[in-house]
Amino acid sequence: YQEGTLVAAQKICNAVAQHTFPHKQTLTCSLGVVMLNDTTPINQIFMHLDEALYEAKENGRNCVVYKNISVD
């Protein structure tokens, strides 16, 4: 799942960066991606998503950050 999720997230970033918007400005996006399992508490999911997103923003434009929080 990890590789497919990362590929999908990067495709989203690339599509946004390559899209021509009506106002003619270039837009980019940064995404946080978290791998979890079905027993991960919802508050932990959002906490880790938030951390991944802020890390992506700190790394620059058009960036994807992945975190694996699944516990086996």
Side-chain angles (χ1 to χ4, degrees):
Y1 295 114
Q2 175 185 350
E3 188 170 324
T5 302
L6 291 174
V7 167
Q10 193 59 56
K11 283 183 179 182
I12 292 168
C13 285
N14 293 340
V16 170
Q18 294 173 4
H19 184 74
T20 302
F21 291 92
H23 52 23
K24 308 248 190 272
Q25 289 183 338
T26 301
L27 299 178
T28 61
C29 68
S30 295
L31 301 176
V33 177
V34 176
M35 182 67 70
L36 51 95
N37 61 32
D38 59 356
T39 62
T40 306
I42 192 77
N43 63 327
Q44 283 189 6
I45 294 169
F46 285 111
M47 180 183 71
H48 290 290
L49 278 170
D50 195 46
E51 289 172 1
L53 176 58
Y54 279 101
E55 186 177 329
K57 287 181 173 184
E58 288 175 5
N59 288 339
R61 294 183 172 153
N62 234 23
C63 180
V64 175
V65 169
Y66 169 83
K67 292 190 177 283
N68 185 345
I69 62 167
S70 62
V71 178
D72 296 317

